[in-house]
């Protein structure tokens, strides 16, 4: 399998290449040149497999020659062995139509672990072969940072520099990052928003002062390997609910459009997906883009669901490329226009292609609180604010009653205890595996929202490529 850039001019790479590269050198994102397809019989044959085995089967066509099937299976067994639930991503039934897919049983309590536990192992595998050193730079609205740090802390050949917007992540999220004291982990709090942090990180990939000396790698969902690992749980859930013999709808709390794009990939592979519901909070650029074709950046409003407080969704570019005819030159021009004016209109092909599978909804703060309350009072489940936004959108979407609707529960409620307690009167307890988070020492550097200051800080501490 080889991978091409959405902007048409970066070289094609194999799976090992895209895993280490992150962003393409032309500023685009990598996608497989063609989608592997599974027939209904092939999908039916996957029913009942243990999660790690299912993961290896779904991912093998994307990994191609980069790993043998036996080695890939060893890595998935190791990655998913650290989850606190043996089903890895268990399903819970809420009512006659609605289900929760619990993606938060990994070490840092959010769905990011599902992909990043594997990505940490893939980095080690591929870097060991080339004897290179990787400098990971990342921006986090909270959960990517802790999951990535857990996945690479103490590993040889990797340094990680993680930028978070100071004061805009929850206490649990911050401590899960800053209490990891391994020498290869560098936390940076910037005086700005998540979008500012993400823009800095994107700029580093194109900065010759950094890329000439360091191999810069990505753990954000611009990294294809992350999305690939997330495709698996769409299959796992749908198989349990009767796929390939009946279609399933999914509602996905969305920020950077990575998780829901993995659902799109599952559909392109042949999984019968009735609809993908993109759930946003008041930071609703994706809801506006999907419902009116207007992709224009607004101001970020901080909310109780900080991992969705995003106004530029990197992975949306992958969808625009795929449904818009896979024309890299045209998309490069469209994205250059967006980067100059912070606004663009979708083409008719992009709008119609997206509308065939996607729906969207915007949840107000009250909708989120009511959804947390409903899940607790009607179903006895405590859910976090992000999952609640997904559940609100799922219940509002008007999906045919015969179709099961699965809401992705993206974080453990104990990551956001204040919002859950306000809505239910119950304070969710941190699971024991997280331990004494509030007693541990923190380490973090504050930097201004200034590209040169951040780039200099990293250059002074990172290890050169060789
Ligand atoms: C990252 C995150 C999201 C958003 O996922 P994307 O892939 O960026 O769309 C939603 N909920 C939680 C809890 C997250 O950590």
């Amino acid at each position: 399998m080889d991978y091409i850039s959405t902007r048409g001019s970066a070289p094609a790479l194999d799976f090992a290449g895209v895993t280490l590269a992150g962003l393409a050198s032309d500023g685009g994102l990598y996608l497989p040149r063609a989608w592997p397809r599974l027939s209904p019989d092939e999908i039916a044959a996957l029913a009942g497999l243990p999660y790690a085995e299912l993961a290896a089967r779904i991912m093998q066509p994307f990994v191609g020659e980069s790993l043998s099937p036996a080695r890939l299976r060893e890595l998935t067994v190791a990655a998913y062995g650290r989850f606190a639930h043996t089903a890895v991503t268990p399903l819970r039934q809420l009512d006659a139509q609605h289900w929760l897919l619990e993606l938060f049983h990994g070490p840092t309590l959010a769905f990011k672990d599902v992909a990043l536990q594997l990505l940490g192992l893939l980095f080690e595998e591929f870097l060991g072969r080339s004897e290179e050193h990787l400098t990971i730079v990342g921006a986090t609205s909270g959960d990517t940072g802790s999951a990535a740090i857990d996945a690479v802390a103490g590993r040889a050949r990797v340094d990680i520099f993680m930028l978070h917007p100071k004061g805009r992540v929850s206490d649990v999220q911050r401590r899960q990052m800053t209490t990891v004291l391994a020498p290869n982990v560098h936390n940076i709090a910037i005086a700005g928003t998540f979008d500012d942090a993400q823009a800095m990180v994107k700029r580093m990939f194109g900065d010759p002062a950094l890329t000439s000396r360091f191999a810069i790698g990505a753990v954000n969902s611009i990294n294809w390997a992350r999305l690939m690992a997330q495709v698996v749980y769409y299959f796992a859930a749908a198989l349990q609910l009767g796929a390939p013999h009946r279609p399933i709808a999914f509602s996905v709390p969305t920020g950077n459009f990575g998780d829901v794009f993995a659902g799109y990939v599952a559909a392109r592979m042949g999984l019968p997906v009735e609809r993908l519901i993109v759930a946003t909070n008041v930071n609703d650029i994706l809801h506006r883009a999907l419902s009116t074709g207007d992709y224009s950046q607004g101001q970020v409003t901080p909310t109780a669901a900080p991992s969705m407080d995003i106004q530029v969704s990197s992975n949306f570019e992958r969808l625009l490329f795929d449904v818009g005819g896979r024309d890299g030159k045209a998309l490069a021009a469209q994205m250059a226009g967006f980067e100059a004016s912070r606004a663009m209109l979708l083409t008719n092909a992009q709008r119609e292609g997206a509308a065939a599978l996607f729906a969207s909804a915007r949840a107000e703060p009250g909708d989120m609180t009511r959804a947390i309350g409903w899940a607790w009072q009607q179903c006895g489940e405590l859910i976090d604010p992000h999952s609640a936004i997904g559940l609100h959108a799922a219940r509002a979407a008007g999906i045919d009653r015969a179709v099961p609707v699965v809401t992705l529960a993206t974080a453990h409620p104990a990551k956001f205890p204040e919002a859950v307690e306000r809505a239910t009167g119950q304070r969710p307890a941190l699971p024991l595996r997280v331990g004494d988070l509030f007693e541990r020492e923190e380490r973090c550097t504050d930097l201004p929202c200034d590209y040169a200051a951040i780039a200099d800080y990293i250059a002074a501490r990172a290890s050169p490529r060789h």
Side-chain angles (χ1 to χ4, degrees), residues 110-112 143 253-259 307-308 386 410-411:
F111 83 92
K112 308 289 200 296
D143 296 323
T254 296
N256 227 347
F257 205 75
D259 207 6
S307 296
M308 298 163 66
H386 304 80
T410 49

Side-chain angles (χ1 to χ4, degrees), residues 162-166 187-193 195-201 203-204 444-458 461:
M162 188 52 65
L163 278 55
H164 72 263
K166 186 175 169 66
N187 280 291
I188 300 171
I190 70 158
T193 66
D195 287 330
D196 295 330
Q198 180 164 255
M200 305 263 183
V201 166
R203 195 166 153 191
M204 289 174 199
C444 183
T445 301
D446 286 354
L447 289 178
C449 188
D450 169 50
Y451 180 75
I454 296 167
D456 288 350
Y457 181 88
I458 293 174
R461 288 163 183 80

Side-chain angles (χ1 to χ4, degrees), residues 15-16 19-20 66-67 121-130:
F15 177 72
T19 300
L20 295 179
S66 293
L67 290 170
L121 298 174
L122 292 172
F123 282 149
E124 198 166 65
E125 177 87 8
F126 297 143
L127 290 169
R129 288 182 197 169
S130 60

Side-chain angles (χ1 to χ4, degrees), residues 71-93:
R71 184 64 185 142
L72 176 59
R73 192 139 41 75
E74 283 169 11
L75 296 183
T76 59
V77 167
Y80 299 119
R82 287 194 63 202
F83 280 63
H85 196 297
T86 50
V88 183
T89 61
L91 263 181
R92 258 182 208 272
Q93 188 159 14

Side-chain angles (χ1 to χ4, degrees), residues 234 248-254 257-268 271-279 290 319 353-361 393-394 397 399 405-406 408:
Y234 286 91
I248 316 293
F250 291 91
S251 179
V252 187
T254 296
F257 205 75
D259 207 6
V260 75
F261 188 77
Y264 172 80
V265 175
R268 296 304 305 256
L271 191 71
V273 174
E274 170 83 13
R275 199 136 287 277
L276 292 168
I277 302 158
V278 175
L290 290 166
L319 180 71
L357 195 56
F358 289 89
S360 65
I399 303 288
V405 185
V406 175
L408 274 54

Side-chain angles (χ1 to χ4, degrees), residues 254-425:
T254 296
N256 227 347
F257 205 75
D259 207 6
V260 75
F261 188 77
Y264 172 80
V265 175
R268 296 304 305 256
M269 291 176 75
L271 191 71
V273 174
E274 170 83 13
R275 199 136 287 277
L276 292 168
I277 302 158
V278 175
T280 75
N281 61 23
V282 295
N283 298 296
D284 65 347
I285 182 170
L286 286 168
H287 173 56
R288 283 183 282 117
L290 290 166
S291 54
T292 69
D294 166 26
Y295 189 79
S296 58
Q297 185 180 355
Q299 285 294 316
V300 176
T301 305
T303 75
S307 296
M308 298 163 66
D309 292 346
I310 288 177
Q311 282 284 355
V312 182
S313 292
S314 307
N315 286 293
F316 199 50
E317 179 169 343
R318 287 187 158 114
L319 180 71
L320 297 181
F321 177 73
D322 203 50
V323 299
R326 290 195 156 224
D327 180 343
K329 290 278 174 301
L331 190 65
Q334 194 181 8
M335 293 310 299
F338 173 74
E339 276 153 21
S341 65
R342 312 318 291 174
M344 69 184 179
L345 289 176
L346 273 50
T347 66
N348 285 340
Q350 287 166 338
R351 283 191 69 174
E352 285 159 20
L357 195 56
F358 289 89
S360 65
R362 160 184 154 134
E364 305 300 325
D367 298 324
M368 178 206 75
T369 305
R370 274 188 294 279
I372 298 178
W374 182 81
W376 174 244
Q377 276 136 27
Q378 301 299 314
C379 321
E381 295 291 335
L382 287 179
I383 62 172
D384 99 288
H386 304 80
S387 310
I389 289 168
L391 183 58
H392 166 78
R395 296 179 72 225
I399 303 288
D400 185 303
R401 286 230 306 269
V403 175
V405 185
V406 175
T407 296
L408 274 54
T410 49
H412 192 289
K415 262 192 135 159
F416 305 95
E418 286 79 18
V420 177
E421 188 170 16
R422 269 198 303 279
T424 63

